[in-house]
Amino acid sequence: MRTIFPSVSLLALTLLLAACSHPASPPPSGGGTDSPPVVALPTGRILTVGPGKAYLTVRAAVAAARDGDTVRVDPGTYTNDFFEVNTRITIESASGLARLVATVAPPNGKAIITTNTDVTLRGLELTGAKVADRNGAGVRYQGATS
């Protein structure tokens, strides 16, 4: 039997809000309808996570990330890999599903991922976040840091 935690709804809402908070790209300048589409290319680095990769934990890659970087996580289970995001990055599964599983309470008493800025998440499953006040979350958005 699989247990669904209330934080799943918060996670879905957080991901939806993150997706909606980025303004659409401006239309391409210049000519009429024959203009080719404008494609935004990634500007940051790709930091890889997994066995035999540059980083063994998501936490280590996120700590090394700068604005615009992508943390690409190999499929698998990452147990008690808690971290805080302070840069505008993307964290995504390389292929398949990357699971971040909490078997103990997050050390900050909040969430598996705590973010202070915009973050894009793709292909991740977050489970098991439980804290004493019963308000644990997969993702907790705290707002911008000063």
Side-chain angles (χ1 to χ4, degrees), residues 4-145:
I4 302 296
F5 297 98
S7 61
V8 172
S9 297
L10 178 60
L11 173 61
L13 178 61
T14 302
L15 296 176
L16 177 63
L17 291 174
C20 295
S21 67
H22 297 286
S25 299
S29 60
T33 58
D34 294 333
S35 299
V38 175
V39 177
L41 299 175
T43 57
R45 305 169 300 159
I46 295 178
L47 291 75
T48 57
V49 178
K53 303 293 179 162
Y55 299 93
L56 292 177
T57 64
V58 181
R59 173 183 41 242
V62 168
R66 300 186 300 237
D67 283 346
D69 286 351
T70 297
V71 174
R72 189 156 296 146
V73 184
D74 276 358
T77 300
Y78 298 81
T79 304
N80 300 327
D81 196 355
F82 306 107
F83 53 91
E84 187 168 314
V85 179
N86 293 303
T87 53
R88 289 182 169 95
I89 60 174
T90 296
I91 305 170
E92 64 184 14
S93 177
S95 64
L97 185 66
R99 300 181 73 226
L100 280 75
V101 177
T103 61
V104 299
N108 65 5
K110 297 177 183 178
I112 295 171
I113 301 172
T114 305
T115 182
N116 298 307
T117 189
D118 296 336
V119 61
T120 301
L121 305 173
R122 291 188 197 109
L124 304 176
E125 178 182 277
L126 297 94
T127 62
K130 297 178 188 175
V131 297
D133 68 3
R134 301 174 57 102
N135 193 28
V139 179
R140 170 81 47 94
Y141 176 73
Q142 300 186 132
T145 56

